[in-house]
mmCIF file of all heavy atoms in Angstrom:
data_model
loop_
_atom_site.group_PDB
_atom_site.id
_atom_site.type_symbol
_atom_site.label_atom_id
_atom_site.label_comp_id
_atom_site.label_asym_id
_atom_site.label_seq_id
_atom_site.Cartn_x
_atom_site.Cartn_y
_atom_site.Cartn_z
ATOM 1 N N ILE A 28 -43.841 -6.563 39.187
ATOM 2 C CA ILE A 28 -44.199 -5.408 38.363
ATOM 3 C C ILE A 28 -45.690 -5.463 38.060
ATOM 4 O O ILE A 28 -46.222 -6.500 37.642
ATOM 5 C CB ILE A 28 -43.390 -5.386 37.053
ATOM 6 C CG1 ILE A 28 -41.912 -5.085 37.361
ATOM 7 C CG2 ILE A 28 -43.952 -4.369 36.072
ATOM 8 C CD1 ILE A 28 -41.001 -5.152 36.153
ATOM 9 N N VAL A 29 -46.360 -4.346 38.280
ATOM 10 C CA VAL A 29 -47.790 -4.219 38.001
ATOM 11 C C VAL A 29 -47.964 -3.215 36.869
ATOM 12 O O VAL A 29 -47.475 -2.091 36.949
ATOM 13 C CB VAL A 29 -48.563 -3.728 39.247
ATOM 14 C CG1 VAL A 29 -50.048 -3.574 38.928
ATOM 15 C CG2 VAL A 29 -48.349 -4.679 40.418
ATOM 16 N N LEU A 30 -48.650 -3.615 35.810
ATOM 17 C CA LEU A 30 -48.964 -2.713 34.709
ATOM 18 C C LEU A 30 -50.372 -2.169 34.905
ATOM 19 O O LEU A 30 -51.298 -2.922 35.231
ATOM 20 C CB LEU A 30 -48.888 -3.447 33.368
ATOM 21 C CG LEU A 30 -47.539 -4.063 33.004
ATOM 22 C CD1 LEU A 30 -47.629 -4.762 31.651
ATOM 23 C CD2 LEU A 30 -46.439 -3.026 32.986
ATOM 24 N N THR A 31 -50.531 -0.862 34.703
ATOM 25 C CA THR A 31 -51.847 -0.272 34.868
ATOM 26 C C THR A 31 -51.985 0.969 34.009
ATOM 27 O O THR A 31 -51.001 1.514 33.493
ATOM 28 C CB THR A 31 -52.128 0.059 36.349
ATOM 29 O OG1 THR A 31 -53.516 0.388 36.503
ATOM 30 C CG2 THR A 31 -51.292 1.235 36.833
ATOM 31 N N GLY A 32 -53.214 1.407 33.851
ATOM 32 C CA GLY A 32 -53.506 2.615 33.095
ATOM 33 C C GLY A 32 -54.998 2.817 33.041
ATOM 34 O O GLY A 32 -55.782 1.983 33.525
ATOM 35 N N GLU A 33 -55.385 3.924 32.449
ATOM 36 C CA GLU A 33 -56.797 4.283 32.367
ATOM 37 C C GLU A 33 -57.196 4.451 30.905
ATOM 38 O O GLU A 33 -56.484 5.099 30.136
ATOM 39 C CB GLU A 33 -57.054 5.587 33.134
ATOM 40 C CG GLU A 33 -56.704 5.483 34.615
ATOM 41 C CD GLU A 33 -56.677 6.820 35.332
ATOM 42 O OE1 GLU A 33 -56.747 7.871 34.654
ATOM 43 O OE2 GLU A 33 -56.546 6.819 36.573
ATOM 44 N N SER A 34 -58.317 3.830 30.515
ATOM 45 C CA SER A 34 -58.859 3.968 29.167
ATOM 46 C C SER A 34 -57.860 3.448 28.133
ATOM 47 O O SER A 34 -57.509 2.266 28.155
ATOM 48 C CB SER A 34 -59.247 5.427 28.924
ATOM 49 O OG SER A 34 -60.037 5.556 27.765
ATOM 50 N N ALA A 35 -57.367 4.304 27.226
ATOM 51 C CA ALA A 35 -56.362 3.850 26.258
ATOM 52 C C ALA A 35 -55.092 3.398 26.969
ATOM 53 O O ALA A 35 -54.384 2.508 26.483
ATOM 54 C CB ALA A 35 -56.053 4.953 25.255
ATOM 55 N N GLY A 36 -54.788 4.006 28.116
ATOM 56 C CA GLY A 36 -53.637 3.570 28.896
ATOM 57 C C GLY A 36 -53.824 2.172 29.441
ATOM 58 O O GLY A 36 -52.874 1.379 29.528
ATOM 59 N N ALA A 37 -55.052 1.832 29.813
ATOM 60 C CA ALA A 37 -55.341 0.471 30.268
ATOM 61 C C ALA A 37 -55.222 -0.506 29.109
ATOM 62 O O ALA A 37 -54.753 -1.639 29.272
ATOM 63 C CB ALA A 37 -56.731 0.409 30.881
ATOM 64 N N HIS A 38 -55.693 -0.086 27.924
ATOM 65 C CA HIS A 38 -55.495 -0.908 26.727
ATOM 66 C C HIS A 38 -54.010 -1.218 26.544
ATOM 67 O O HIS A 38 -53.618 -2.360 26.296
ATOM 68 C CB HIS A 38 -56.034 -0.178 25.487
ATOM 69 C CG HIS A 38 -55.459 -0.684 24.197
ATOM 70 N ND1 HIS A 38 -54.323 -0.131 23.633
ATOM 71 C CD2 HIS A 38 -55.823 -1.701 23.387
ATOM 72 C CE1 HIS A 38 -54.029 -0.786 22.519
ATOM 73 N NE2 HIS A 38 -54.922 -1.744 22.349
ATOM 74 N N LEU A 39 -53.164 -0.180 26.687
ATOM 75 C CA LEU A 39 -51.726 -0.375 26.500
ATOM 76 C C LEU A 39 -51.129 -1.255 27.598
ATOM 77 O O LEU A 39 -50.230 -2.060 27.338
ATOM 78 C CB LEU A 39 -51.023 0.980 26.448
ATOM 79 C CG LEU A 39 -51.352 1.819 25.205
ATOM 80 C CD1 LEU A 39 -50.819 3.246 25.366
ATOM 81 C CD2 LEU A 39 -50.798 1.171 23.942
ATOM 82 N N ALA A 40 -51.618 -1.098 28.823
ATOM 83 C CA ALA A 40 -51.156 -1.968 29.908
ATOM 84 C C ALA A 40 -51.514 -3.424 29.619
ATOM 85 O O ALA A 40 -50.695 -4.335 29.807
ATOM 86 C CB ALA A 40 -51.762 -1.521 31.236
ATOM 87 N N LEU A 41 -52.730 -3.645 29.138
ATOM 88 C CA LEU A 41 -53.172 -5.005 28.819
ATOM 89 C C LEU A 41 -52.342 -5.606 27.691
ATOM 90 O O LEU A 41 -51.815 -6.714 27.811
ATOM 91 C CB LEU A 41 -54.652 -4.996 28.422
ATOM 92 C CG LEU A 41 -55.667 -4.818 29.544
ATOM 93 C CD1 LEU A 41 -57.039 -4.462 28.977
ATOM 94 C CD2 LEU A 41 -55.762 -6.084 30.408
ATOM 95 N N ILE A 42 -52.240 -4.882 26.578
ATOM 96 C CA ILE A 42 -51.558 -5.442 25.414
ATOM 97 C C ILE A 42 -50.075 -5.632 25.694
ATOM 98 O O ILE A 42 -49.453 -6.588 25.231
ATOM 99 C CB ILE A 42 -51.805 -4.560 24.164
ATOM 100 C CG1 ILE A 42 -51.544 -5.347 22.882
ATOM 101 C CG2 ILE A 42 -51.016 -3.285 24.192
ATOM 102 C CD1 ILE A 42 -52.621 -6.309 22.524
ATOM 103 N N THR A 43 -49.488 -4.735 26.497
ATOM 104 C CA THR A 43 -48.073 -4.886 26.867
ATOM 105 C C THR A 43 -47.870 -6.125 27.722
ATOM 106 O O THR A 43 -46.963 -6.933 27.485
ATOM 107 C CB THR A 43 -47.580 -3.633 27.616
ATOM 108 O OG1 THR A 43 -47.714 -2.492 26.761
ATOM 109 C CG2 THR A 43 -46.130 -3.780 28.030
ATOM 110 N N GLY A 44 -48.720 -6.292 28.736
ATOM 111 C CA GLY A 44 -48.596 -7.447 29.619
ATOM 112 C C GLY A 44 -48.907 -8.757 28.941
ATOM 113 O O GLY A 44 -48.386 -9.812 29.334
ATOM 114 N N MET A 45 -49.732 -8.704 27.905
ATOM 115 C CA MET A 45 -50.076 -9.925 27.174
ATOM 116 C C MET A 45 -48.975 -10.323 26.190
ATOM 117 O O MET A 45 -48.776 -11.510 25.921
ATOM 118 C CB MET A 45 -51.391 -9.721 26.424
ATOM 119 C CG MET A 45 -52.610 -9.660 27.322
ATOM 120 S SD MET A 45 -54.114 -9.238 26.407
ATOM 121 C CE MET A 45 -55.382 -9.659 27.621
ATOM 122 N N GLN A 46 -48.250 -9.331 25.656
ATOM 123 C CA GLN A 46 -47.217 -9.628 24.671
ATOM 124 C C GLN A 46 -45.850 -9.858 25.307
ATOM 125 O O GLN A 46 -45.021 -10.567 24.738
ATOM 126 C CB GLN A 46 -47.116 -8.485 23.653
ATOM 127 C CG GLN A 46 -48.335 -8.381 22.754
ATOM 128 C CD GLN A 46 -48.084 -7.482 21.555
ATOM 129 O OE1 GLN A 46 -47.024 -7.482 20.962
ATOM 130 N NE2 GLN A 46 -49.084 -6.704 21.197
ATOM 131 N N LEU A 47 -45.606 -9.232 26.449
ATOM 132 C CA LEU A 47 -44.320 -9.371 27.128
ATOM 133 C C LEU A 47 -44.605 -9.884 28.530
ATOM 134 O O LEU A 47 -44.899 -9.096 29.443
ATOM 135 C CB LEU A 47 -43.600 -8.020 27.168
ATOM 136 C CG LEU A 47 -42.124 -8.021 27.544
ATOM 137 C CD1 LEU A 47 -41.314 -8.807 26.526
ATOM 138 C CD2 LEU A 47 -41.602 -6.587 27.627
ATOM 139 N N PRO A 48 -44.574 -11.188 28.742
ATOM 140 C CA PRO A 48 -45.042 -11.773 30.010
ATOM 141 C C PRO A 48 -44.070 -11.544 31.162
ATOM 142 O O PRO A 48 -43.463 -12.477 31.681
ATOM 143 C CB PRO A 48 -45.177 -13.251 29.658
ATOM 144 C CG PRO A 48 -44.163 -13.475 28.584
ATOM 145 C CD PRO A 48 -44.099 -12.204 27.802
ATOM 146 N N THR A 49 -43.946 -10.277 31.552
ATOM 147 C CA THR A 49 -43.055 -9.907 32.651
ATOM 148 C C THR A 49 -43.838 -9.495 33.885
ATOM 149 O O THR A 49 -43.356 -9.634 34.999
ATOM 150 C CB THR A 49 -42.131 -8.742 32.212
ATOM 151 O OG1 THR A 49 -41.385 -9.168 31.067
ATOM 152 C CG2 THR A 49 -41.175 -8.343 33.305
ATOM 153 N N ALA A 50 -45.034 -8.970 33.688
ATOM 154 C CA ALA A 50 -45.814 -8.413 34.794
ATOM 155 C C ALA A 50 -46.319 -9.490 35.734
ATOM 156 O O ALA A 50 -46.643 -10.609 35.319
ATOM 157 C CB ALA A 50 -46.989 -7.617 34.244
ATOM 158 N N ALA A 51 -46.388 -9.123 37.018
ATOM 159 C CA ALA A 51 -46.997 -10.003 38.012
ATOM 160 C C ALA A 51 -48.507 -9.844 38.035
ATOM 161 O O ALA A 51 -49.226 -10.742 38.481
ATOM 162 C CB ALA A 51 -46.426 -9.699 39.393
ATOM 163 N N ALA A 52 -48.998 -8.684 37.577
ATOM 164 C CA ALA A 52 -50.445 -8.419 37.552
ATOM 165 C C ALA A 52 -50.700 -7.225 36.643
ATOM 166 O O ALA A 52 -49.808 -6.407 36.388
ATOM 167 C CB ALA A 52 -50.975 -8.142 38.958
ATOM 168 N N ILE A 53 -51.943 -7.126 36.159
ATOM 169 C CA ILE A 53 -52.392 -5.994 35.351
ATOM 170 C C ILE A 53 -53.660 -5.447 35.989
ATOM 171 O O ILE A 53 -54.590 -6.208 36.297
ATOM 172 C CB ILE A 53 -52.667 -6.398 33.896
ATOM 173 C CG1 ILE A 53 -51.419 -7.020 33.250
ATOM 174 C CG2 ILE A 53 -53.144 -5.192 33.078
ATOM 175 C CD1 ILE A 53 -51.671 -7.635 31.875
ATOM 176 N N ILE A 54 -53.698 -4.132 36.191
ATOM 177 C CA ILE A 54 -54.896 -3.466 36.699
ATOM 178 C C ILE A 54 -55.463 -2.634 35.551
ATOM 179 O O ILE A 54 -54.852 -1.654 35.117
ATOM 180 C CB ILE A 54 -54.593 -2.571 37.915
ATOM 181 C CG1 ILE A 54 -53.794 -3.345 38.972
ATOM 182 C CG2 ILE A 54 -55.889 -2.019 38.490
ATOM 183 C CD1 ILE A 54 -54.505 -4.521 39.578
ATOM 184 N N ASN A 55 -56.611 -3.026 35.067
ATOM 185 C CA ASN A 55 -57.233 -2.450 33.884
ATOM 186 C C ASN A 55 -58.369 -1.512 34.294
ATOM 187 O O ASN A 55 -59.437 -1.957 34.687
ATOM 188 C CB ASN A 55 -57.746 -3.598 32.994
ATOM 189 C CG ASN A 55 -58.752 -3.150 31.961
ATOM 190 O OD1 ASN A 55 -58.706 -2.036 31.460
ATOM 191 N ND2 ASN A 55 -59.689 -4.044 31.632
ATOM 192 N N TRP A 56 -58.112 -0.192 34.182
ATOM 193 C CA TRP A 56 -59.145 0.792 34.494
ATOM 194 C C TRP A 56 -59.908 1.143 33.219
ATOM 195 O O TRP A 56 -59.410 1.858 32.369
ATOM 196 C CB TRP A 56 -58.524 2.070 35.055
ATOM 197 C CG TRP A 56 -57.862 1.955 36.395
ATOM 198 C CD1 TRP A 56 -56.662 1.383 36.679
ATOM 199 C CD2 TRP A 56 -58.358 2.472 37.642
ATOM 200 N NE1 TRP A 56 -56.383 1.515 38.029
ATOM 201 C CE2 TRP A 56 -57.402 2.176 38.643
ATOM 202 C CE3 TRP A 56 -59.525 3.180 38.003
ATOM 203 C CZ2 TRP A 56 -57.565 2.544 39.974
ATOM 204 C CZ3 TRP A 56 -59.679 3.543 39.327
ATOM 205 C CH2 TRP A 56 -58.717 3.223 40.298
ATOM 206 N N TYR A 57 -61.098 0.570 33.074
ATOM 207 C CA TYR A 57 -62.025 0.839 31.955
ATOM 208 C C TYR A 57 -61.315 0.937 30.608
ATOM 209 O O TYR A 57 -61.493 1.852 29.828
ATOM 210 C CB TYR A 57 -62.889 2.079 32.240
ATOM 211 C CG TYR A 57 -62.179 3.289 32.810
ATOM 212 C CD1 TYR A 57 -61.610 4.265 32.001
ATOM 213 C CD2 TYR A 57 -62.096 3.472 34.210
ATOM 214 C CE1 TYR A 57 -60.991 5.374 32.534
ATOM 215 C CE2 TYR A 57 -61.458 4.570 34.746
ATOM 216 C CZ TYR A 57 -60.909 5.517 33.901
ATOM 217 O OH TYR A 57 -60.284 6.620 34.430
ATOM 218 N N GLY A 58 -60.517 -0.103 30.337
ATOM 219 C CA GLY A 58 -59.705 -0.092 29.124
ATOM 220 C C GLY A 58 -60.443 -0.588 27.894
ATOM 221 O O GLY A 58 -61.425 -1.330 27.964
ATOM 222 N N ILE A 59 -59.920 -0.191 26.751
ATOM 223 C CA ILE A 59 -60.432 -0.624 25.452
ATOM 224 C C ILE A 59 -59.893 -2.024 25.200
ATOM 225 O O ILE A 59 -58.669 -2.234 25.176
ATOM 226 C CB ILE A 59 -59.969 0.338 24.339
ATOM 227 C CG1 ILE A 59 -60.491 1.746 24.615
ATOM 228 C CG2 ILE A 59 -60.412 -0.156 22.962
ATOM 229 C CD1 ILE A 59 -59.594 2.847 24.129
ATOM 230 N N THR A 60 -60.766 -2.984 24.985
ATOM 231 C CA THR A 60 -60.325 -4.351 24.723
ATOM 232 C C THR A 60 -60.615 -4.784 23.294
ATOM 233 O O THR A 60 -60.033 -5.745 22.808
ATOM 234 C CB THR A 60 -60.981 -5.342 25.710
ATOM 235 O OG1 THR A 60 -62.394 -5.330 25.535
ATOM 236 C CG2 THR A 60 -60.650 -4.964 27.151
#
């Protein structure tokens, strides 16, 4: 499973993948960190 998104969506992909360690990778498109 790959989590991804753009801007606020990338923020959500990052925080989701960091809190629920299910993803195989995260693609962060210019996300808010």
Side-chain angles (χ1 to χ4, degrees):
I28 291 175
V29 179
L30 300 180
T31 191
E33 299 168 350
S34 193
H38 159 269
L39 292 169
L41 285 165
I42 200 76
T43 299
M45 289 174 166
Q46 292 194 39
L47 194 62
T49 301
I53 303 171
I54 309 297
N55 163 32
W56 293 75
Y57 44 89
I59 300 148
T60 62

